[in-house]
């Protein structure tokens, strides 16, 4: 069953910022090593639809 399913992970931090976020470079490196093994990184840029909708929600 190994490598027979897909997992999508989303984050608003770059992998290089995870060590600071987790406050442990060794743990961050080990975690990213396992997550990034045989993966494809898709970097999205531009305006956040989530934040745009949140502003609209808060104005009501």
């Amino acid at each position: 069953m190994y490598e027979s399913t897909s997992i999508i992970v989303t984050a608003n931090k770059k992998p290089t910022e995870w060590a600071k976020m987790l406050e442990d470079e060794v743990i961050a490196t080990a975690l990213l090593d396992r997550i990034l093994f045989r993966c494809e990184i898709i970097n999205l840029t531009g305006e956040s639809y989530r934040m745009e909708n949140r502003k609209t929600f808060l104005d009501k």
Side-chain angles (χ1 to χ4, degrees):
M1 202 148 199
Y2 180 71
E3 295 183 357
S4 64
T5 189
S6 298
I7 298 174
I8 297 175
V9 176
T10 63
N12 61 352
K13 301 287 185 190
K14 297 176 184 177
T16 55
E17 297 171 340
W18 282 36
K20 185 175 181 181
M21 179 181 67
L22 296 174
E23 297 180 354
D24 189 326
E25 188 173 342
V26 174
I27 296 288
T29 301
L31 180 64
L32 288 169
D33 184 51
R34 286 154 179 85
I35 290 174
L36 298 176
F37 177 71
R38 293 195 183 184
C39 80
E40 183 171 336
I41 297 174
I42 301 171
N43 186 22
L44 302 175
T45 59
E47 295 294 320
S48 169
Y49 290 109
R50 181 179 56 83
M51 292 305 291
E52 180 180 317
N53 292 330
R54 180 182 172 146
K55 291 175 188 173
T56 304
F57 178 74
L58 292 175
D59 291 339
K60 292 183 180 180

